[in-house]
Amino acid sequence: MSEIFPSRAAARHAEQAGTHSPDPVEEPAAAWEDERDQPFYEEHQEQPFYEEHLEYEDHHEPSRRSSRVSKRVRKRRRTVVFFLILVMFAAVVFFVVQSIKPMLGGFTAADYPGPGTGSVQVMVPAGSSARSVATLLTAKDVVASEQAFVDALAAADGTGSLQPGAFELRLQMKAADAVTVLLAGDPSKVHYAAVSQNLRLGETLALLAKSTGIPITEFESLANNPAEFGLPAQAKNLEGYLAPGEYRFPVELDAKGILAQMVAATQKNLVAAGVSEPAQQYRILTIASIIEFEGNEANYAEISGAIENRINNPNGETHGFLQSDATVVYGLGIKSYNLTQAQKDDKSNLYNTYANPGLPVGPIGSPGAKAIVAAAHPQANPYYFWVTVNLKTGETLFATTFAEHQANVAKYVAWCTANAGECDK
């Protein structure tokens, strides 16, 4: 500092010596500049004292820039730490999964090696999802697991390509092979026909003609010649033999081929139920067709037992008469069950089981597999009477005596009164 201001230093020296120094003489600018220590001056020209002092204090308190730098460093450190924790967590999860995987048998869905054995017919309903078809195939032991089928279907990009119909598959197939069979059918090369239960022969033939474009006369001519399909002499036509279900008939298949396929399906159901003798098959089909009209799946076996009680006990409550409205209306060619007494007394109607004892002369529709099983294996019970007291829910009441039956019929009448028009259908 003394080198920068020499005159002031001299004045202070004079005061310390006790003498009065005259006022300093202002020196010419040129002389002032000459006496400057140029390097030192340039170094301190823009840094006066107070700035030096502040600079000294800055050594103790961090600047804003250094603070921002510190924050970035801390942020990077936190990111690194978080990443390391995430990696460690993933490693732990992987270790745990690998440890318990053997106990769970792995995550690969169970699948058969194939190619499978035997043959099984699978009916794929319209609108079926991949999962519902997988459930169906698993239940029939076509594939080992639902997931194996779903995975194979997804791999084949066929999730949205499943078509309804009847398919011939093997037992214990590899899932991918089952998918191949189900996706092989080209909808443009098949005729789809959904034949529901309880359809009469004429209704079924009309549906087949509409679905295939084949004239109904071709179907009718064949249906009236059951011998062409190897059926017993009792059969006057194909009534009862055209199995209900959903079919996909190849476009090149003719009317006889279509009917033969449906007859074969019924015969397969009969054999599966333990009925192989042709004459016995005809009897079982007749009972099964009545069961389907008289009840629902929940009480097929009970109704079958009551039917056997009626036709096998001529001295029983009903004296050997079946007394089924369903058979009478079939013989009359109508649908309504509002029968007159004259209609019930008409013996000329060979399907009139009020006037003629025992079974009618033949089936009154084409029964499904469950009704055939119930007819072949009736439930042993003491019942002679049954009546459906709620046409919407199918609730059916059984009775041993006519008096009990009359009480149940009263409930049916009450339901009809409360549901006007329902019992007139």
Side-chain angles (χ1 to χ4, degrees):
M1 300 293 291
S2 61
E3 293 180 354
I4 299 177
F5 303 106
S7 60
R8 295 178 183 175
R12 288 197 297 274
H13 180 72
E15 289 177 355
Q16 294 173 356
T19 60
H20 178 70
S21 175
D23 294 333
V25 178
E26 185 176 350
E27 296 178 2
W32 166 254
E33 291 174 359
D34 290 339
E35 292 180 4
R36 293 175 182 169
D37 185 341
Q38 290 296 332
F40 184 86
Y41 173 78
E42 291 174 359
E43 180 181 354
H44 294 81
Q45 183 178 11
E46 295 182 0
Q47 299 183 21
F49 173 76
Y50 69 90
E51 290 184 358
E52 288 181 353
H53 180 68
L54 290 176
E55 184 177 6
Y56 173 79
E57 292 179 347
D58 285 344
H59 288 297
H60 296 79
E61 296 181 11
S63 66
R64 293 180 180 178
R65 180 176 180 278
S66 63
S67 177
R68 289 194 298 271
V69 171
S70 298
K71 289 181 179 179
R72 286 198 296 270
V73 171
R74 289 195 297 271
K75 185 175 181 180
R76 283 197 297 269
R77 287 175 179 171
R78 287 196 298 269
T79 301
V80 172
V81 171
F82 176 77
F83 178 77
L84 291 175
I85 292 174
L86 187 62
V87 171
M88 292 176 64
F89 177 77
V92 171
V93 171
F94 178 80
F95 177 79
V96 172
V97 169
Q98 293 301 314
S99 299
I100 66 174
K101 190 174 181 180
M103 293 183 287
L104 298 177
F107 292 102
T108 302
D111 196 5
Y112 290 126
T117 60
S119 177
V120 58
Q121 185 179 68
V122 176
M123 302 294 296
V124 177
S128 295
S129 65
R131 181 62 65 176
S132 64
V133 173
T135 300
L136 175 64
L137 295 180
T138 304
K140 289 183 173 291
D141 198 28
V142 173
V143 297
S145 66
E146 295 181 18
Q147 194 58 49
F149 176 80
V150 171
D151 292 344
L153 188 64
D157 196 25
T159 302
S161 302
L162 289 172
Q163 298 295 320
F167 296 87
E168 286 294 330
L169 297 167
R170 289 173 172 265
L171 293 172
Q172 301 186 354
M173 296 179 69
K174 187 176 179 61
D177 294 340
V179 167
T180 299
V181 173
L182 294 181
L183 297 182
D186 184 347
S188 65
K189 296 181 180 180
V190 299
H191 293 307
Y192 173 68
V195 181
S196 61
Q197 295 175 213
N198 297 337
L199 288 185
R200 296 174 179 175
L201 179 61
E203 295 171 319
T204 300
L205 298 181
L207 186 151
L208 292 175
K210 181 179 180 181
S211 300
T212 64
I214 298 174
I216 192 172
T217 53
E218 292 187 31
F219 287 110
E220 290 173 338
S221 176
L222 289 163
N224 289 321
N225 289 280
E228 291 195 34
F229 302 90
L231 300 183
Q234 302 105 302
K236 304 304 179 184
N237 51 42
L238 294 183
E239 185 70 273
Y241 285 93
L242 302 182
E246 297 183 71
Y247 295 91
R248 295 191 310 169
F249 301 113
V251 293
E252 64 271 12
L253 201 62
D254 60 11
K256 185 174 182 179
I258 290 173
L259 295 177
Q261 183 173 326
M262 299 177 73
V263 170
T266 293
Q267 291 176 322
K268 184 176 181 179
N269 289 336
L270 286 164
V271 172
V275 185
S276 56
E277 202 275 318
Q280 182 67 4
Q281 287 182 341
Y282 191 74
R283 179 181 184 276
I284 292 301
L285 283 181
T286 301
I287 295 175
S289 67
I290 296 171
I291 289 173
E292 282 202 339
F293 279 97
E294 291 283 352
N296 53 62
E297 291 183 8
N299 53 42
Y300 279 171
E302 287 179 290
I303 293 177
S304 181
I307 288 175
E308 293 293 345
N309 290 340
R310 281 176 168 253
I311 61 179
N312 294 327
N313 294 297
N315 297 320
E317 283 281 319
T318 59
H319 306 288
F321 287 89
L322 187 56
Q323 298 176 325
S324 167
D325 291 349
T327 64
V328 178
V329 299
Y330 177 86
L332 294 173
I334 62 175
K335 290 284 188 176
S336 175
Y337 287 152
N338 293 319
L339 298 174
T340 65
Q341 191 58 49
Q343 289 172 325
K344 291 182 178 181
D345 293 338
D346 182 12
K347 289 187 177 183
S348 65
N349 178 358
L350 299 182
Y351 289 88
N352 184 351
T353 52
Y354 282 93
N356 301 297
L359 293 174
V361 293
I364 61 174
S366 293
K370 291 183 178 180
I372 290 174
V373 170
H377 304 282
Q379 180 193 89
N381 58 57
Y383 305 134
Y384 283 86
F385 305 91
W386 67 90
V387 59
T388 301
V389 296
N390 187 319
L391 300 185
K392 291 183 178 179
T393 65
E395 180 186 1
T396 302
L397 299 180
F398 293 84
T400 301
T401 67
F402 183 70
E404 293 171 346
H405 178 60
Q406 286 299 96
N408 292 337
V409 170
K411 295 179 181 179
Y412 165 71
V413 173
W415 187 89
C416 291
T417 302
N419 296 269
E422 291 293 329
C423 298
D424 297 330
K425 296 178 181 179

